[in-house]
């Protein structure tokens, strides 16, 4: 049995997973303090609850995988802006709690790897993943290998440029997909529009100037209820997925483009349908190729499941 | 010795090449009639002149490679809009002239392969090529293999979307890089501007409404002479290379991005410098990564040299 733990900027999700990739139990906890020691103590607490739920002790676990929102090498999280970590020796610190074999990976890479091995991208040669949440994460698998590129920074699909000289992105550049289609970007647009009082909105009650983040399901409820402002803002930002996805399809001709992350989980199949519509007019080899765009099959579990697979493969997952 | 022949929409270039990749002689001819028989007869005529120049007969040739502006499979050019060919059995037709081993490949793939084996991209893992001419051709090499994608249509870098809902492209879609940075696009913009008489231009003499194409060196001369209209139109179109190149750098983190084709050959190093400037502000991992953008080292020879390498490798070049 394996433990797979997804450590995010706001939540931790721990899974107990069988060697066949079956999820036996799960536990989710909020991140309170973001210093490495507190986060890893919390991750272990979360893991123990998942173990208890499965009726197991930690001796039942062969190895543990940890996923972090960071570039990773040698068990160290190089830079995780969501947690404020830089060169954090995650494996070393986690070893205080779990003494068995421990492996560290990047969350988006592990999420796409899980979709490739067990989920929506099985049997494909070339697979891309876009994960829409606080940011827009990306990963690329080609012929069974995760692409890292010549400086380890490949796969930054959130930083495809969709509008030259466009909106300022969190990365400091302009016009990135993340500056339009992330939850952060949608929240910023909603705040602007509420301030300008352009359209009425049910979200006027829940979004205040001091709101740091918005709940994906709240956003979806307002969208489903045809709240005019939510429709305008969400469609206005998310439609730029169209040119971005078409660009990568025209470039790599993948077998699957998997959409995942909190926003996609909340919006579900209707969003996939709309993204296909937004992509179709831009595909070089014909609009029917938009069918390669699919929803994550594993949802929230994809990243911790990928972490468990990393543990199962002793750190050598799709390399 | 090998023959490598580049068959384009307007010209044919034949090289006699040694097994080490050294060019022994070359011959260039214009394409007059574009039906397959005439073009292949002309390609053979061109090859014979190159052979004569090297003091050789056709018996000295081990194998011949042909490059065409078309998707290719089983010796057949599937669709070559520049020549009006569809499912043309090129190898079968060329066998009337040359009875030795004959191999057919896509021109842009072969051009980038030559740069990878002998030119500006030697020793790199991941390499992208943008070839700016009548259109904008593209190719991708990853870990020693040309990418074809799941439907054989990968590498269409001219159809990266740079402006959502932008200008109409020759492919029928909108906002493609080719609709801004190809010679065809620049000529269309020049014609529009001359018609509107927005700015004076030395090109007013050479560009008439019936002009089908403009010479890259004419364009460069006017650009060098600081002709205001030429500057405005060329910079306005070519600057969109910036977001496009940044997108592919952010996505694949390549070791080299090679720029080639008639337009790049004519504009030379100053264009490379400018493209780097246009790309820098959009690179996720930092502006210094723009240094991966380099000019083709083989220029006009890259495609026929790639065809000769294809012949040398008996049809299995970077597969």
């Amino acid at each position: 049995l394996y433990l797979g733990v997804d450590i995010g900027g706001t939540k931790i999700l721990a899974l107990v997973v069988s060697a066949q990739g079956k999820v036996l139990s799960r536990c989710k906890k909020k991140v309170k303090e973001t210093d490495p020691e507190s986060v890893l103590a919390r991750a272990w607490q979360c893991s123990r609850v998942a173990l208890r739920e499965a009726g197991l002790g930690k001796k039942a676990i062969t190895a543990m995988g940890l996923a972090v929102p960071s570039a990773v090498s040698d068990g160290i999280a190089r830079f995780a802006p969501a947690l404020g970590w830089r060169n954090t020796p995650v494996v070393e610190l986690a070893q205080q709690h779990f003494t068995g074999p421990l492996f560290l990976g990047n969350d988006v890479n592990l999420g796409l790897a899980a979709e490739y091995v067990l989920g929506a991208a099985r049997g494909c040669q070339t697979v891309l993943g876009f994960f829409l949440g606080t940011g827009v994460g990306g990963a690329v698998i080609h012929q069974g290998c995760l692409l890292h590129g010549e400086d380890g920074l490949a796969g930054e699909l959130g930083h495809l440029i969709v509008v030259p000289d466009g909106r300022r992105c969190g990365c400091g550049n302009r016009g990135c997909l993340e500056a339009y289609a992330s939850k952060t970007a949608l929240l910023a647009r909603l705040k602007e529009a509420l301030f300008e009082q352009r359209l009425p909105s049910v979200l006027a009650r829940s979004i205040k100037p001091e709101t740091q983040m918005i709940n994906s399901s709240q956003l979806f409820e307002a969208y489903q209820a045809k709240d005019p402002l939510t429709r305008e803002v969400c469609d206005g930002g998310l439609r730029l997925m169209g040119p971005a996805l078409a660009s990568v399809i025209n470039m790599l001709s993948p077998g699957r483009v998997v959409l995942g992350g909190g926003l996609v989980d909340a919006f579900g199949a209707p969003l996939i349908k709309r993204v296909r519509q937004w992509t179709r007019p831009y595909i070089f080899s014909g609009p029917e190729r938009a069918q390669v765009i699919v929803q994550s099959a594993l949802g929230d579990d994809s990243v911790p499941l990928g972490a468990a697979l990393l543990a199962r493969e002793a750190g050598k997952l799709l390399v």
Side-chain angles (χ1 to χ4, degrees), chain A:
Chain A
L1 297 179
Y2 300 90
L3 263 172
V5 184
D6 175 17
I7 297 174
T10 55
K11 64 157 185 63
I12 293 167
L13 177 55
L15 304 183
V16 175
V17 178
S18 77
Q20 289 73 43
K22 202 172 166 303
V23 177
L24 304 183
S25 66
R26 55 171 66 73
C27 174
K28 199 174 190 168
K29 287 196 182 287
K30 279 199 179 148
V31 169
K32 288 172 180 172
E33 320 272 321
T34 59
D35 63 286
E37 284 80 6
S38 307
V39 170
L40 291 168
R42 190 107 176 120
W44 182 241
Q45 202 186 356
C46 191
S47 303
R48 277 196 325 206
V49 176
L51 280 169
R52 200 182 314 137
E53 205 128 303
L56 297 165
K58 71 174 170 178
K59 286 192 181 149
I61 298 302
T62 307
M64 180 170 175
L66 293 167
V68 285
S70 168
V72 154
S73 59
D74 306 317
I76 294 165
R78 294 299 166 186
F79 180 45
L83 290 157
W85 295 0
R86 204 180 267 278
N87 293 321
T88 304
V90 178
V91 166
E92 197 186 308
L93 292 168
Q95 213 82 71
Q96 298 172 11
H97 306 286
F98 181 77
T99 50
L102 250 166
F103 302 95
L104 184 68
N106 167 268
D107 55 358
V108 180
N109 279 350
L110 293 175
L112 187 63
E115 294 290 342
Y116 177 81
V117 176
L118 299 166
R122 268 178 299 174
C124 292
Q125 289 288 304
T126 302
V127 180
L128 294 134
F130 288 79
F131 291 79
L132 278 62
T134 316
V136 175
V140 182
I141 292 171
H142 178 61
Q143 297 190 321
C145 294
L146 276 160
L147 252 64
H148 298 284
E150 313 237 340
D151 63 357
L153 285 166
E156 288 295 348
L157 302 175
H159 302 277
L160 290 167
I161 310 303
V162 290
V163 181
D165 303 314
R167 285 187 182 275
R168 186 69 72 183
C169 179
C171 75
N173 298 340
R174 284 186 178 280
C176 302
L177 178 61
E178 183 166 293
Y180 294 89
S182 64
K183 230 163 62 177
T184 315
L186 298 180
L187 177 64
R189 287 316 82 72
L190 282 167
K191 280 185 182 175
E192 281 170 20
L194 287 172
F195 179 77
E196 293 165 13
Q197 300 191 305
R198 255 192 296 119
L199 282 169
S201 172
V202 296
L203 290 175
R205 275 171 279 131
S206 41
I207 298 181
K208 303 269 171 281
E210 68 279 9
T211 303
Q212 293 295 310
M213 197 27 76
I214 183 167
N215 198 304
S216 294
S217 25
Q218 258 180 308
L219 202 60
F220 179 62
E221 269 168 41
Y223 189 94
Q224 272 299 79
K226 298 203 160 77
D227 179 58
L229 185 68
T230 309
R231 286 261 154 165
E232 187 198 273
V233 167
C234 289
D235 287 347
L238 295 171
R239 65 187 288 281
L240 287 161
M241 292 291 289
L245 267 65
S247 288
V248 302
I249 291 171
N250 296 345
M251 183 175 173
L252 295 183
S253 185
R256 287 283 182 285
V257 179
V258 179
L259 306 189
L263 209 58
V264 175
D265 292 345
F267 279 67
L271 177 60
I272 305 299
K273 203 176 145 189
R274 235 168 295 121
V275 171
R276 285 179 178 169
Q277 280 165 359
W278 289 321
T279 307
R280 266 188 206 111
Y282 297 107
I283 304 180
F284 179 71
S285 52
E288 65 285 356
R289 285 279 292 156
Q291 297 307 115
V292 300
I293 301 166
V294 297
Q295 188 177 353
S296 150
L298 307 169
D300 235 15
D301 283 352
S302 65
V303 175
L305 208 40
L309 293 173
L310 179 73
R312 188 185 77 181
E313 306 301 324
K316 306 265 176 243
L317 184 62
L318 310 190
V319 289

